[in-house]
Amino acid sequence: MKKVWGLIVIVTFLSGAATFGQSEKEMAEEYFKTNDCAKAMSFYTAMLKKTFERSALKNYTSCVIKTKTWGDAEQFFKKQVKNDDVNAAWYYMYWATSLNAQGKVQEATKKNELVLTSSGGRIDLKRELSDEYRATSQPEWARDILLAARDGVKRTDLFQLELASVYRDLNQPEKMIDELLSYGTRYQNTEVVQNMLQDFTKDEKEQALLEKVLYEKIQKFPNEGFYNELLIWYQIQKKDFYKAFIQERSLDKRFKHNGTRLYNLGMLALQNLDYANAGAIFDYLVKEYPKGQLYPVARRMAIFSREEQVKNTYPINRNEVEKLLSQYQQLVDELGINVRTVEALRNMAILNAFYLDNFKKAIQILETAIEAGKQEKNFIDKCKLDLGDIYLLQGQPWEATLVYSQVEKSQKDDLLGYDAKLRNAKLHYYKGDFVLAKAVLDILKKATSREIANDANSLGLLIMDNTGLDSSETAMKEYSNVELLIFQNKKYAAIDTLKSLYKKYQSHSLSDEILWLTAQTYMKLDSNKQALATLKLLTEKYSVDILGDDALYATAKLYQEKFNDKDEAMKLFQELMEKYPGSIFVADARKRFRLLRGDVVNQ
């Protein structure tokens, strides 16, 4: 019986000790949170003598610094490094922290050196110590302990990513880049390197250094494709598609990619509106792979790139449009009318309708395309949308809405269906049926396509802000009719009507919109002096309205791109950044300002 009671006493004692230990930690943390450092230190000291916990040691050291109880801390650290060999490195680290707080830099340095030696060959511990050094803004010691770990196991590939981060903290970009490139070539992990470089090389000098180093590596190690891959990625980030093309072309020849990667690069350049380089890339593919699978699509995309250049150069040159049509026709003659050329036929129809007013021929070409591509539902519906646009160009809105509605029904919950619905909404708007247009636009605000949702929102706001002001809504109807003229490429007639509208409705809420549309139309006609005068009037009279930043940004761009007035452009970009700090144009304005000033800017 005595043995049983003795066992119960022992179990109870051990249980009580565990409870005491747990409450000891809780009490220490409670006192620490309430800034009662004297009591917190007492509990932390007792805890740490029994079991090591890094957070407890960190909080203890924080209290030492707050209370300046240097003598007690000195005795505590001395005992702990003697009694706890396993965790001595941590005690030396926080001892150094305490000494640094006293201004005893040399003594702190000696303790940090002991961190390196007392951590021995424990690689994981050295990593944790390095992380803590970084967290406490001591990158030099973070570097030294990682390098010590390398030396200890004779492995230069150890901690490459960690050291890259540390060298970034130390502002040593050369070593940072060297660690990342060494890691990348060793493990062929392009994605990790790209992600880290994107975070690290935000400074223009670092960007220039990276480009220089990569070119040097490519020359020194021509068979190591990793460097080319990384340089191409970097140049694409800068949107320098010409340089990316040069590198990609080299890889294409060396590794026999058969033009697939070059084609993807060309499409990327096209998406980024770099039509000249997109055209050059596709031309190269046509020339290099005349019998390859990509030949038909590359040939068409080469023409399409030039088409986009022509369509975005104002005023539109009809002779250039004729050349494009001739090139498309040559492609169709060479490859025949089939699924490989239906997109070319569709482009031909659009050019004939929108830029040569040859509606009859455009419709004939579309009908041919539909017949050739009848197995592809999406293609047929795209052609129907084009057909609806052509009917609208001809002034046949009922025919237009009929085909738009067919596509809405055919592609109910898909992108083409939303596109068709938006075109129908614009058609209602052009006709002056603002209630119906607004109802459709409200539905489209929830569309999955951001572009369609944004267009719907913009037009919906325009209608909401400028209807209901008078019972007839005359001004809005006249304005929407001008937008129809512009859609129909009747820009000179639109300008005359807009001038008349501004005189008539200067006090109307639409007046700023009228001036903005006038300026945009002048720019499309390359009538830049008239555009500038209109934008200045808009800025003077309506700078506090919603189009104020749009007008100022457009004015600055005109001075930069059309009048080559660098000083005036810089002045206006600066004004935009100061006057409209929340504008969506601020980022580009800052980039343009720095470029004009002569800075090296990441495009």
Side-chain angles (χ1 to χ4, degrees), residues 15 24-25 206 229 358 520:
S15 175
E24 194 173 62
K25 177 183 177 182
E206 290 174 356
E229 294 274 4
N358 195 338
Q520 287 182 303

Side-chain angles (χ1 to χ4, degrees), residues 438 440-447 452-454 456-457 460-461:
K438 183 72 167 56
V440 177
L441 292 167
D442 286 342
I443 295 170
L444 286 171
K445 288 177 186 177
K446 299 174 184 177
I452 288 174
N454 288 344
N457 190 51
L461 285 173

Side-chain angles (χ1 to χ4, degrees), residues 354 388-389 392-393 397 400 404 422-434 437 441 459 462-463 476-488 517:
F354 277 85
D389 290 346
L392 196 51
L393 288 173
Y404 290 156
L422 179 63
R423 295 187 198 213
N424 254 330
K426 287 182 178 180
L427 184 53
H428 299 318
Y429 167 71
Y430 294 146
K431 289 161 57 181
D433 193 344
F434 303 123
L441 292 167
L459 185 54
L462 179 69
I463 293 170
M476 192 63 192
K477 287 179 179 177
E478 292 183 48
Y479 181 84
S480 65
N481 189 55
V482 173
E483 291 222 65
L484 177 58
L485 288 175
I486 292 170
F487 176 81
Q488 294 172 330
L517 188 56

Side-chain angles (χ1 to χ4, degrees), residues 21-22 24-33 37 39-65 76-77 80 84 90-91 94-95 132:
Q22 183 64 31
E24 194 173 62
K25 177 183 177 182
E26 290 173 354
M27 290 297 290
E29 289 179 352
E30 187 63 34
Y31 284 126
F32 182 77
K33 287 176 184 176
C37 273
K39 290 179 181 177
M41 287 167 65
S42 176
F43 281 107
Y44 280 134
T45 302
M47 273 180 62
L48 289 164
K49 285 178 180 177
K50 298 170 191 172
T51 181
F52 178 77
E53 192 169 312
R54 199 198 319 175
S55 62
L57 178 57
K58 187 175 184 178
N59 291 346
Y60 169 81
T61 309
S62 176
C63 277
V64 167
I65 294 169
F76 171 75
F77 285 124
Q80 291 304 104
D84 189 354
W90 290 109
Y91 286 109
Y94 285 103
W95 194 351
E132 185 62 20

Side-chain angles (χ1 to χ4, degrees), residues 491-509:
K491 294 185 179 67
Y492 290 104
I495 286 288
D496 291 339
T497 308
L498 283 166
K499 286 180 183 177
S500 174
L501 284 181
Y502 184 67
K503 288 179 183 177
K504 191 174 177 181
Y505 297 112
Q506 284 193 45
S507 59
H508 196 279
S509 61

